[in-house]
């Protein structure tokens, strides 16, 4: 058993994951916890290279299985080199997305067989799981509007814009949303669904309460 706590944030584009992770990390650090924030795809220098292949607008035209394998290649290194050592060190590790995103995007979104994704998961990271997963649930139209505003503010060149998934149609994003809710239904102990249309402070407060309960328990 590791000494730390592994928390993942999941949900569609623009649901508020990155914003809420920053707030939670600050809140926990103020309480004296050692905190590490990280993200997927990415987390290691090698994983960040894979990220560019997957999330940039012109990253590539992957088959679903190739995309799943790339995601788990990055994730395997992320778990071994970053997440597990930090947990051993007693840190609270917070990841912006983890394997539920692969199940949601490649499985529910792109229609890849969920059992294949499960097999690749076990092969890559065994039975390693988050202790707690917070799923920010939002109407995809509103999430994509928020995401558009954020991307516009970033002013990357078009080729480097991290919007390959945002470019997919709204039906894809509806399937994603249903996928995340289904995952939460299957693992209610680990996964908590948080309505993300509320104002920022209300979402932050709800997350803080769930995390405190988990730390106390
Ligand atoms: N509860 C909220 N209400 C209004 N705007 C929000 C809320 N949460 C996040 N935002 C804004 O929406 C945009 C996307 O949020 P972000 O945290 O980047 O989402 P994600 O990481 O899930 O894609 C940001 O500009 C952020 O300031
Ligand atoms: Mg984000």
């Amino acid at each position: 058993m590791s000494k730390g706590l592994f928390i993942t944030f999941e949900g569609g584009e623009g649901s508020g994951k990155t914003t809420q992770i920053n707030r939670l990390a600050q809140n926990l650090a103020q309480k004296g916890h050692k905190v590490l924030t990280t993200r997927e795809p990415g987390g290691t220098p090698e994983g960040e290279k894979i990220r560019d292949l997957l999330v940039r607008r012109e990253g590539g035209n992957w088959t679903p299985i190739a995309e799943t394998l790339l995601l788990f290649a990055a994730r395997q290194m992320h778990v071994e080199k970053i997440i597990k050592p930090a947990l051993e060190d007693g840190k609270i590790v917070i990841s912006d997305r983890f394997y539920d995103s692969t199940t949601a995007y490649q499985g529910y979104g792109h229609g890849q067989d969920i059992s294949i994704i499960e097999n690749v998961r076990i092969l890559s990271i065994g039975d390693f799981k988050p202790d707690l997963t917070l799923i920010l649930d939002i109407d995809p139209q509103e999430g994509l509007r928020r995401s558009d505003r954020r991307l516009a503010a970033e002013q990357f060149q078009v080729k480097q814009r991290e919007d390959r998934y945002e470019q997919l149609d709204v039906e894809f994003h509806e399937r994603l949303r249903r996928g995340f809710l289904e995952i939460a239904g299957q693992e209610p102990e680990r996964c908590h669904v948080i309505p993300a249309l509320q104002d920022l402070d209300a979402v932050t407060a709800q997350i803080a309460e769930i995390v405190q309960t988990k730390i106390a328990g």
Side-chain angles (χ1 to χ4, degrees):
M1 278 298 284
S2 62
K3 296 170 283 182
L5 187 71
F6 183 35
I7 303 174
T8 58
F9 276 67
E10 299 283 2
E13 312 297 339
S15 56
K17 298 177 296 299
T18 305
T19 309
Q20 294 297 337
I21 285 170
N22 292 336
R23 288 174 163 221
L24 176 64
Q26 204 173 0
N27 169 308
L28 291 170
Q30 273 164 5
K31 292 198 167 100
H33 296 283
K34 291 190 285 181
V35 182
L36 177 78
T37 59
T38 184
R39 69 172 183 181
E40 290 207 343
T44 63
E46 294 80 1
E48 290 290 322
K49 290 184 190 171
I50 292 179
R51 177 186 183 90
D52 290 343
L53 302 175
L54 296 174
V55 307
R56 286 191 178 173
R57 185 178 296 195
E58 300 190 9
N61 189 17
W62 307 100
T63 59
I65 185 71
E67 195 155 326
T68 296
L69 291 167
L70 282 169
L71 285 160
F72 273 101
R75 184 165 297 132
Q76 192 273 333
M77 290 185 66
H78 191 201
V79 168
E80 291 306 320
K81 292 189 176 290
I82 307 287
I83 300 172
K84 281 186 176 173
L87 293 172
E88 289 300 324
D89 192 29
K91 292 193 174 108
I92 298 180
V93 179
I94 309 174
S95 186
D96 196 333
R97 298 191 180 283
F98 197 57
Y99 63 63
D100 295 314
S101 278
T102 309
T103 308
Y105 280 69
Q106 277 61 52
Y108 290 92
H110 283 313
Q112 179 165 33
D113 193 335
I114 306 285
S115 68
I116 292 179
I117 298 174
E118 286 287 295
N119 286 337
V120 178
R121 173 169 70 81
I122 302 291
L123 182 77
S124 316
I125 60 168
D127 62 359
F128 182 77
K129 277 178 186 286
D131 297 300
L132 179 66
T133 296
L134 301 165
I135 296 175
L136 299 185
D137 178 54
I138 195 165
D139 167 46
Q141 310 248 24
E142 175 56 23
L144 289 168
R145 267 196 294 275
R146 284 186 188 172
S147 203
D148 271 350
R149 282 198 294 270
R150 180 177 57 77
L151 285 162
E154 284 176 351
Q155 296 179 326
F156 278 127
Q157 289 179 343
V158 169
K159 279 188 185 176
Q160 312 216 316
R161 268 177 73 146
E162 292 198 334
D163 66 352
R164 184 164 158 260
Y165 291 108
E166 278 87 342
Q167 296 289 312
L168 298 170
D169 57 27
V170 75
E171 286 75 27
F172 174 87
H173 293 277
E174 295 283 2
R175 291 196 294 280
L176 268 189
R177 183 188 197 185
R178 283 200 298 280
F180 279 123
L181 295 176
E182 206 138 310
I183 291 166
Q186 286 160 9
E187 286 186 74
E189 284 270 300
R190 172 171 72 87
C191 302
H192 294 248
V193 176
I194 295 157
L197 215 50
Q198 316 173 72
D199 73 65
L200 274 172
D201 291 342
V203 179
T204 304
Q206 204 172 336
I207 289 169
E209 195 182 320
I210 294 167
V211 170
Q212 277 316 314
T213 305
K214 186 75 194 177
I215 290 171

